[in-house]
Amino acid sequence: MSGSTAFAGSWSSLPTPLTSWVLEVIQSMGHTQMTPVQASTIPLFMKHKDVVVEAVTGSGKTLAFVIPTLERLIRRETRLKRDEVGALIISPTRELATQIHSIFASFLDSQPGAAYSPPLLLVSSDQSSPSDDTQRFLSTGADIVIGTPGRIDEFLLGKGRSSVNVKELEVLVLDEADRLLDLGFQATLTRILTHLPKQRRTGLFSATMTDADALSELVRVGLRNPARIIVRVQSKRMKINSTQRNEVVEERRVPASLENLYINCRTSEKLIQLTRIIELEATQNSSSHFIIYFATCACVDYFYKILSHLKGVKCNFYSLHGNLTPSARTRTLTAFSAAPYSLAMPSVLLATDVAARGLDLPLVDVIVQFDPPTDTKTFSHRCGRTARAGRTGTAYVLLCGRELEFCDFLNVRKIPLKEHPYIPHSGSSSSEPEHEDQDDPDVDIYLEDVRSVLKTDRALNDHAVKAFVSFVRAYSKHEASYIFRVKDLDLVGLAKSFGLLRLPKMPELKMANRDAWKDADISWSEYAYADPVQEAKRVVTLAQAEKDGARERERRHAENAKKKKKNGSWSEHADRKDERDKRKEKKKLKAKWIKTQTTVETEAEAAAQVEQCTGKRQRENLAEASGSDNDMDDWNELAREEKMAKRLRKGDISQKDFDAEFADL
């Protein structure tokens, strides 16, 4: 098949002629003839048929439902009232909804006499709430409402629902229907569809809607006897056997004008190959437009900060992912779409799959899938952002090691890939040896380049680690898990591609081969944030951590000393036990002696005699009780204590002096 889009006749060949001003707008857009999907869908949808439409990206599906929607509203016998909705278009993303809204607006802005109000866009916004949407609807009297499932759910079933009348609804369109039928949207979609009238025309449109996807959900979404329209792309190739050469016609799920390529490289070489692809394509067209797809939002954020600092990469970079605010996403997409070809350097959009479906970006020349998508259906949607409406385009995907089996996986799904040779350095000769036995010589150079950027700001290192960890987690959840396995992934090589200063602590790295890895030479205690507020916070946290560490070391030292004492030798335990026994015996003798003293004090006149006798007997008893008649040291100590006790009672000495002398007994 030729590289140009196939056409299926002029617009005048439609069974039901189009309204004159609608036809004028179509022709002003440059669409002189219908595409196959438009020629097949418009006649059915303008009448009374529900349709399920599957066609490759860039084949004109949007006009295939925009035109019949407008024609059905124009041909109504009675005009819709101000609170009535005539057509409802539901899209999975705000970017796609905004694009569809702009197409409807282009038509309605060109209508004679302004008979129909501008379409209403319902997407999440910092400046608009669901109640504001209702007020805008009532004030403008919009007949056509376009939006995302959540916002339309609020609009139809939330607060103020009585102000919106859907009884006269003519058309319901589910764009990118396979995405809308995913689990994340099922509950919301069911509520919306239950609320809508059954007497309506419903259309499901997508580029990747398999039989199982659509047919299993038709009853649930309320289609009645639908017409299924499938527009295939076919290509011819020569099949040569031992006897003859035959032309074989193959079916494809990507545009024929798209060159779909893969590059086999090591994980450590992915960043190098990305920069060389940009350099290669920019050499052919200095104002090329690229979209580079990453697996996670964190990866987009990180490489957006890094790529512009690499040597030899001179581009205008844009960042788009789901964690950005709605207004930021709109600004980015608008700026990238409006970037003119007159610029002397390429425009590069770094994005997640939020920019994979439905977006019509006609200026895009090259797609690079830095990370293969976790959902294999998304692969063709990503590729479909280029080679649209008859234009040519190129799509690359970087595959490493076992990931090469992904080519066979896609080929079964009618998405053929051709191998593109590994791209060497622009200054190397064609006779340069293959890199299969070792990393590309530029790996270490790029690693140091990225590290030099990271060393300027500790926040960049935080982004790098977050991106690396998020990628590994996304990789572990790949739909084709028998191909994309973390245990087969070269994590050390991947860390080099990310330019990490050191490997993070994560379970997946325990089994990694660290022989090829060397941490960056950097003092982590002095490694600072460029932001003064962040750095001040880090310094305070570090000081507190040092104090906590000192206290923890003291606690551990005390615990270790206690354990050491507890776990000492048997002889040390025996000596300590003997000392304790002796101290206990002395305390018992002291208690006995003090008890005898209270009796002596009751007889004032005979105190001396009784004391002498008692003292003599006491000495004998004590000597006998102690089992040691020769232990005169103990007796002398008790006698001295007795004298000191008398002095204490007379007030000659203080209790403090007495305790200081005998506290150890």
Side-chain angles (χ1 to χ4, degrees):
M1 189 174 184
S2 67
S4 63
T5 300
F7 293 111
S10 64
W11 296 99
S12 60
S13 64
L14 286 170
T16 304
L18 299 179
T19 304
S20 59
W21 64 267
V22 172
L23 182 58
E24 288 175 3
V25 175
I26 295 171
Q27 292 174 339
S28 68
M29 292 179 175
H31 304 296
T32 57
Q33 296 189 69
M34 294 184 291
T35 62
V37 67
Q38 293 163 355
S40 303
T41 305
I42 293 174
L44 295 173
F45 213 26
M46 283 178 63
K47 296 181 180 179
H48 300 286
K49 272 287 186 181
D50 291 347
V51 294
V52 178
V53 181
E54 179 184 357
V56 297
T57 58
S59 59
K61 291 189 298 297
T62 304
L63 282 183
F65 64 76
V66 169
I67 294 170
T69 298
L70 290 169
E71 290 291 343
R72 287 189 64 85
L73 294 178
I74 293 170
R75 284 170 166 74
R76 279 182 57 90
E77 295 181 359
T78 58
R79 290 278 285 114
L80 291 167
K81 297 179 181 178
R82 202 169 192 79
D83 63 343
E84 292 178 339
V85 179
L88 187 61
I89 319 295
I90 305 179
S91 163
T93 65
R94 70 187 319 277
E95 286 77 16
L96 183 52
T98 303
Q99 178 179 287
I100 296 169
H101 175 266
S102 66
I103 295 173
F104 273 108
S106 298
F107 278 91
L108 294 175
D109 288 346
S110 302
Q111 63 177 312
Y116 298 93
S117 302
L120 177 66
L121 178 63
L122 302 181
V123 293
S124 57
S125 171
D126 301 333
Q127 293 126 10
S128 176
S129 65
S131 59
D132 294 332
D133 293 339
T134 304
Q135 291 301 319
R136 285 193 295 124
F137 169 70
L138 294 175
S139 62
T140 61
D143 298 327
I144 303 170
V145 176
I146 306 111
T148 51
R151 206 59 179 240
I152 288 180
D153 183 34
E154 287 280 350
F155 175 70
L156 297 178
L157 301 170
K159 187 177 180 181
R161 54 185 292 185
S162 59
S163 302
V164 181
N165 187 347
V166 295
K167 292 181 180 180
E168 294 295 320
L169 185 77
E170 289 273 352
V171 178
L172 169 67
V173 173
L174 305 182
D175 196 20
E176 297 298 339
D178 58 327
R179 181 72 181 113
L180 286 170
L181 295 175
D182 283 347
L183 291 177
F185 293 104
Q186 278 187 357
T188 302
L189 196 58
T190 300
R191 285 196 301 271
I192 294 171
L193 295 171
T194 304
H195 181 67
L196 300 179
K198 294 182 180 180
Q199 296 296 326
R200 64 171 190 267
R201 295 282 64 77
T202 304
L204 276 64
F205 293 79
S206 181
T208 54
M209 188 157 47
T210 62
D211 292 351
D213 288 330
L215 294 177
S216 63
E217 298 293 341
L218 292 182
V219 175
R220 187 179 69 81
V221 300
L223 272 72
R224 297 178 299 169
N225 193 23
R228 185 163 178 78
I229 301 168
I230 303 174
V231 179
R232 305 293 192 193
V233 174
Q234 294 180 336
S235 62
K236 294 180 181 180
R237 71 178 179 87
M238 297 302 298
K239 183 177 181 181
I240 304 174
N241 55 32
S242 58
T243 59
Q244 58 182 350
R245 299 176 59 177
N246 296 324
E247 257 190 5
V248 179
V249 177
E250 292 183 333
E251 182 184 316
R252 299 167 51 135
R253 288 187 178 271
V254 291
S257 57
L258 171 67
E259 189 177 16
N260 223 353
L261 307 170
Y262 74 91
I263 296 178
N264 178 19
C265 64
R266 296 170 179 265
T267 53
S268 58
E269 298 162 345
K270 290 180 71 174
L271 182 60
I272 294 174
Q273 285 301 288
L274 173 61
T275 58
R276 290 176 184 172
I277 289 171
I278 296 174
E279 182 181 0
L280 177 66
E281 295 291 339
T283 301
Q284 301 172 12
N285 182 2
S286 61
S287 57
S288 298
H289 282 56
F290 294 77
I291 299 182
I292 302 173
Y293 287 102
F294 294 90
T296 67
C297 301
C299 289
V300 172
D301 268 341
Y302 172 61
F303 284 103
Y304 175 69
K305 292 177 173 64
I306 292 299
L307 283 173
S308 60
H309 295 281
L310 297 183
K311 296 176 182 177
V313 182
K314 301 298 181 183
C315 303
N316 294 311
F317 288 100
Y318 305 86
S319 171
L320 181 66
H321 58 78
N323 286 346
L324 294 174
T325 61
S327 57
R329 287 163 61 179
T330 301
R331 285 196 304 270
T332 297
L333 196 58
T334 302
F336 176 72
S337 302
Y341 265 106
S342 58
L343 293 176
M345 62 178 65
S347 296
V348 180
L349 175 66
L350 310 182
T352 58
D353 288 337
V354 74
R357 285 176 172 262
L359 294 182
D360 185 20
L361 304 171
L363 297 181
V364 175
D365 305 289
V366 182
I367 299 295
V368 182
Q369 303 194 51
F370 190 83
D371 306 319
T374 54
D375 178 3
T376 52
K377 286 191 296 184
T378 306
F379 188 94
S380 60
H381 286 282
R382 286 179 171 184
C383 297
R385 295 317 99 208
T386 186
R388 300 180 67 83
R391 287 169 54 91
T392 58
T394 307
Y396 296 87
V397 59
L398 303 179
L399 300 176
C400 309
R402 185 186 176 91
E403 295 173 2
L404 288 176
E405 297 180 18
F406 194 49
C407 297
D408 296 331
F409 182 85
L410 291 173
N411 195 47
V412 171
R413 284 154 178 76
K414 300 179 176 57
I415 305 173
L417 291 177
K418 290 171 56 179
E419 182 174 10
H420 187 286
Y422 183 87
I423 306 175
H425 190 276
S426 58
S428 63
S429 64
S430 58
S431 59
E432 185 179 32
E434 296 292 333
H435 73 291
E436 294 170 353
D437 296 332
Q438 58 186 358
D439 283 345
D440 189 300
D442 283 352
V443 167
D444 292 334
I445 297 174
Y446 271 70
L447 176 60
E448 291 306 315
D449 284 349
V450 176
R451 283 179 168 179
S452 64
V453 177
L454 295 187
K455 289 177 181 179
T456 61
D457 186 359
R458 191 171 185 134
L460 291 176
N461 177 71
D462 295 345
H463 284 295
V465 174
K466 183 179 179 182
F468 179 84
V469 173
S470 70
F471 171 81
V472 175
R473 289 177 178 171
Y475 196 91
S476 67
K477 298 175 182 178
H478 201 285
E479 185 182 83
S481 57
Y482 63 94
I483 297 175
F484 297 87
R485 300 188 297 188
V486 173
K487 68 177 183 178
D488 295 325
L489 183 63
D490 179 12
L491 293 173
V492 171
L494 186 70
K496 288 183 178 181
S497 186
F498 276 69
L500 299 188
L501 299 177
R502 62 182 177 186
L503 295 177
K505 295 180 180 179
M506 53 191 304
E508 292 83 357
L509 281 166
K510 290 181 179 179
M511 303 300 293
N513 179 16
R514 295 173 180 259
D515 294 340
W517 178 260
K518 184 179 179 181
D519 286 348
D521 184 15
I522 187 172
S523 173
W524 288 92
S525 60
E526 298 177 2
Y527 185 23
Y529 288 99
D531 181 5
V533 176
Q534 272 189 299
E535 177 58 18
K537 185 178 179 180
R538 185 190 74 86
V539 171
V540 171
T541 303
L542 183 63
Q544 184 61 41
E546 289 179 354
K547 291 181 181 179
D548 294 342
R551 284 197 292 267
E552 181 65 15
R553 287 192 294 272
E554 290 178 2
R555 185 186 67 79
R556 289 181 179 177
H557 180 73
E559 286 184 355
N560 291 337
K562 187 176 180 181
K563 289 179 181 179
K564 185 176 180 181
K565 185 176 180 181
K566 182 178 180 181
N567 298 328
S569 64
W570 176 85
S571 58
E572 291 177 353
H573 280 291
D575 292 343
R576 287 198 296 269
K577 185 175 183 304
D578 290 342
E579 291 177 3
R580 285 197 301 271
D581 291 344
K582 286 182 180 180
R583 286 196 298 270
K584 287 181 180 179
E585 192 61 35
K586 285 183 180 181
K587 287 182 179 180
K588 287 181 181 179
L589 291 174
K590 179 180 176 181
K592 272 178 122 178
W593 180 81
I594 291 175
K595 186 176 180 180
T596 58
Q597 293 306 305
T598 56
T599 305
V600 173
E601 290 175 0
T602 57
E603 301 288 339
E605 195 174 75
Q609 298 178 3
V610 174
E611 189 175 329
Q612 292 175 1
C613 296
T614 303
K616 184 177 179 180
R617 288 195 300 274
Q618 187 67 24
R619 286 193 297 272
E620 293 173 355
N621 292 338
L622 290 175
E624 182 179 355
S626 64
S628 177
D629 294 335
N630 298 324
D631 193 2
M632 293 304 297
D633 290 340
D634 289 344
W635 168 248
N636 291 336
E637 185 68 22
L638 288 172
R640 189 167 71 85
E641 185 176 0
E642 174 190 348
K643 291 179 182 180
M644 292 291 285
K646 287 182 179 179
R647 294 180 65 189
L648 176 63
R649 288 194 295 272
K650 291 180 180 181
D652 293 339
I653 62 174
S654 65
Q655 183 67 43
K656 183 177 180 181
D657 296 334
F658 182 84
D659 291 340
E661 188 72 22
F662 300 102
D664 59 335
L665 293 178

